[in-house]
Amino acid sequence: MIIVMNPNAAEEDIEKIKRKMKSLGSEIHESKGKNYHLIGLIGDTSGIDPSQIQANRNVEKLIFVQEPYKKANRLFHPEKTVVDVNGRKIGGNEFAVIAGPCSVESEEQIVGIAEDIKESGATFLRGGAYKPRTSPYSFQGLGDEGLELLKLAREKTGLPIVTELMTPDKIGKFVEDVDVIQIGARNMQNFDLLKEVGKTDKPVLLKRGMSATIEELLMAAEYIMSEGNEKVILCERGIRTFEKYTRNTLDLSAIPVIKKYSHLPVIVDPSHAAGLWWLVESLSKAALAVGADGLMIEVHNDPANAKCDGQQSIKPERFKELMGTLKEMAKFVNKEM
Ligand code: PEP
Ligand code: MN
């Protein structure tokens, strides 16, 4: 339930209503703008009598929220959320580009790629240090050493780093070392992990599970936000369908749907969606056209010898060309790059 207050209501009248709602067992989520003042009620609202609230002269109206996600709901927060990562923005009019290899392999590799993508205009560096691989015999990432190499690449280029957290025991290290904590598709419903990142104040990039509905993705965001961390960036990375020509099926309609129902920024990962390097350019352009707030693209200097996901990685030269095209396109969709 959302109480829409009269924007001119006195502070003490607002406090009175909030106190009353809390005493009836509800948690409060307040949202204030130039011309609005909303008091969102979360949790058990069964003890609240709507007609009593409506009797209050400072209340303009009541909105009943049907969706199970509250803090992630646009009704609770009419303005778009813009996540600030050390001065770089994700959301609003900005179009963020996160690029880099699937996994960190060596100093030369990660620093070289970071320098190349920076020159092309990427705003964040990605790279897995702890990798969620389908096979236990595949390369599992360099672990702590990978994280050190990412830090080195950040030092050399100034690009903030985005990397995946797989287990709660590494959270302290991630909070200290990383700029954006990535939660991968396979962990989208690892609720303990979600709650742990929710207790930090680090921006979280939450990827859609490969068989997750949009509502399940938003509920996963709600897990993070309900612990206090509202810096959540969603990522559409393709879902499982019967189609076999692509690794996953990029659900482009998820972007406008999420934008309609949520205030959170949403980016697209065309690399994991397609699973094929030659599809990355078309899907990136489609993502920008459909209203995404950014992209996460796998870039590798030597895809044929990559330790992970070489088949879907583009080379730095191609990335540069793609960035040029996107910059031109961005002008037509009111995005800044
Ligand atoms: C990744 O970004 O490296 C990754 C493993 O992606 P996803 O979780 O979407 O499969
Ligand atoms: Mn990958």
Side-chain angles (χ1 to χ4, degrees):
M1 209 186 296
I2 296 172
I3 308 174
V4 182
M5 299 299 299
N6 181 328
N8 302 318
E11 207 48 51
E12 62 184 284
D13 291 324
I14 288 170
E15 284 308 315
K16 224 188 259 173
I17 292 195
K18 278 163 59 184
R19 268 200 305 277
K20 173 141 192 222
M21 294 304 119
K22 276 188 200 160
S23 74
L24 291 171
S26 181
E27 196 195 310
I28 303 289
H29 181 270
E30 214 171 352
S31 181
K32 246 169 150 169
K34 244 190 197 159
N35 300 312
Y36 66 88
H37 193 144
L38 309 178
I39 298 173
L41 307 181
I42 300 168
D44 182 13
T45 53
S46 56
I48 294 170
D49 177 356
S51 58
Q52 276 189 2
I53 303 176
Q54 276 160 323
N56 190 311
R57 298 298 177 267
N58 292 304
V59 170
E60 244 172 45
K61 64 174 174 178
L62 274 188
I63 299 173
F64 295 92
V65 181
Q66 257 131 42
E67 293 83 15
Y69 44 91
K70 310 295 176 191
K71 292 193 169 182
N73 201 311
R74 188 145 211 164
L75 291 172
F76 273 65
H77 192 292
E79 279 164 14
K80 290 179 189 169
T81 285
V82 178
V83 177
D84 190 303
V85 188
N86 312 333
R88 287 176 199 252
K89 309 256 187 333
I90 306 183
N93 290 330
E94 306 277 333
F95 192 73
V97 181
I98 305 168
C102 182
S103 51
V104 181
E105 297 171 14
S106 67
E107 177 178 337
E108 195 191 355
Q109 176 239 25
I110 193 69
V111 172
I113 294 173
E115 282 167 349
D116 284 343
I117 59 155
K118 186 188 175 176
E119 205 182 300
S120 304
T123 36
F124 295 83
L125 173 67
R126 65 148 286 148
Y130 308 88
K131 293 301 302 176
R133 303 305 300 278
T134 302
S135 166
Y137 308 118
S138 302
F139 176 58
Q140 304 285 305
L142 293 180
D144 291 356
E145 189 195 337
L147 215 47
E148 289 307 312
L149 296 178
L150 278 170
K151 282 160 67 183
L152 190 70
R154 173 177 59 196
E155 214 177 283
K156 298 217 164 158
T157 59
L159 291 176
I161 52 182
V162 184
T163 194
E164 179 167 353
L165 173 72
M166 296 222 296
T167 51
D169 62 305
K170 291 280 175 203
I171 204 147
K173 195 166 179 49
F174 271 61
V175 167
E176 202 142 290
D177 291 349
V178 162
D179 300 296
V180 178
I181 300 178
Q182 178 174 328
I183 300 292
R186 290 155 191 81
N187 272 318
M188 189 205 83
Q189 284 188 317
N190 182 339
F191 301 116
D192 287 337
L193 192 60
L194 298 178
K195 283 193 241 174
E196 285 307 311
V197 294
K199 287 176 195 148
T200 74
D201 71 347
K202 279 277 154 179
V204 178
L205 177 70
L206 176 65
K207 298 188 88 175
R208 181 176 181 183
M210 44 190 110
S211 301
T213 63
I214 294 171
E215 189 161 289
E216 284 163 344
L217 171 62
L218 290 168
M219 288 309 286
E222 192 77 12
Y223 260 93
I224 300 169
M225 299 173 85
S226 68
E227 294 293 333
N229 186 353
E230 304 201 354
K231 297 177 194 162
V232 180
I233 304 136
L234 304 170
C235 180
E236 162 60 42
R237 45 77 74 204
I239 47 173
R240 280 261 165 96
T241 66
F242 48 79
E243 181 51 62
K244 292 200 177 125
Y245 275 19
T246 51
R247 182 176 178 181
N248 292 289
T249 298
L250 179 60
D251 181 9
L252 277 174
S253 57
I255 311 307
V257 170
I258 289 170
K259 296 237 154 255
K260 178 175 166 69
Y261 290 100
S262 179
H263 52 91
L264 296 173
V266 53
I267 69 163
V268 166
D269 171 350
S271 311
H272 289 89
L276 295 163
W277 64 268
W278 55 270
L279 271 172
V280 169
E281 181 178 342
S282 323
L283 298 186
S284 299
K285 291 194 279 191
L288 173 59
V290 86
D293 294 299
L295 289 164
M296 174 180 253
I297 300 179
E298 284 187 339
V299 177
H300 200 286
N301 54 321
D302 183 12
N305 289 301
K307 289 200 165 147
C308 180
D309 286 350
Q311 79 289 351
Q312 65 194 34
S313 302
I314 56 172
K315 290 189 175 177
E317 308 86 81
R318 227 171 214 276
F319 177 73
K320 187 176 178 185
E321 261 176 55
L322 172 60
M323 287 296 281
T325 310
L326 293 173
K327 274 178 202 158
E328 284 303 307
M329 267 186 75
K331 296 177 196 158
F332 296 98
V333 290
N334 248 334
K335 289 276 187 194
E336 277 162 34
M337 278 184 78

